[in-house]
Amino acid sequence: MAASALIVKTPEADAVVGSLRNRYDATSKLGVPAHITILFPFMPPESVTPEVLNRLRSIFATVPAFSYTLDSIGRFEKTTYLAPVPAEPFIALTTRVVKQFPEFPPYSGQYAGVIPHLTVAHGDERSATIAETELTTGMRSRPPIVGQCNAVSLLENSSGLWREACAFELLR
């Protein structure tokens, strides 16, 4: 079933997480770039109308761009991720979108809260553990990853591969 997602692309992280994502996150091979999720799943791609795009544009146009770092490794049972600091601006973006589109809660409402994260490995506990070990080693010799959130991208996968359908600039 086709889906869409709202994300913040994090190309600054590719040098550190790219090879791990290629091995341990199947979405990487489907065209999903390194990112921090704002809202997934969002509405089916065929429901994204010009009105929806305008609503999204108005949500993001008043949010100031912000900087963040990725230097903390986190885990869910079957997932290894990098946590952005500060997390609050990402949570605020999610909250703003959900307020306007309450029929699309984060992760279909499966979890109580929102934990912003850049997925490095996802699928099974063993792979997540291997990725965590490699990521820990790789990050020891590097400065923290510094990112700038200037836009939110709408991705969709109606072709079977993910592609950017639209990008919404934040206030600069």
Side-chain angles (χ1 to χ4, degrees), residues 4-6 38-45 47-61 92-109 152 154 168:
S4 67
L6 294 164
I38 300 303
L39 185 60
F40 176 81
F42 190 47
M43 62 182 59
S47 298
V48 178
T49 64
E51 178 190 344
V52 168
L53 295 175
N54 285 335
R55 285 173 66 192
L56 290 168
R57 195 169 286 108
S58 69
I59 291 169
F60 299 123
L93 287 170
T94 300
T95 301
R96 289 176 72 118
V97 175
V98 171
K99 185 176 180 182
Q100 290 295 314
F101 298 94
E103 64 275 32
F104 301 105
Y107 300 100
S108 300
V152 174
L154 173 66
F168 307 97

Side-chain angles (χ1 to χ4, degrees), residues 150-172:
N150 295 316
V152 174
S153 295
L154 173 66
L155 300 185
E156 64 89 19
N157 70 349
S158 57
S159 72
L161 297 176
W162 289 89
R163 69 170 189 87
E164 183 177 71
C166 192
F168 307 97
E169 295 292 320
L170 300 184
L171 184 63
R172 294 189 201 198

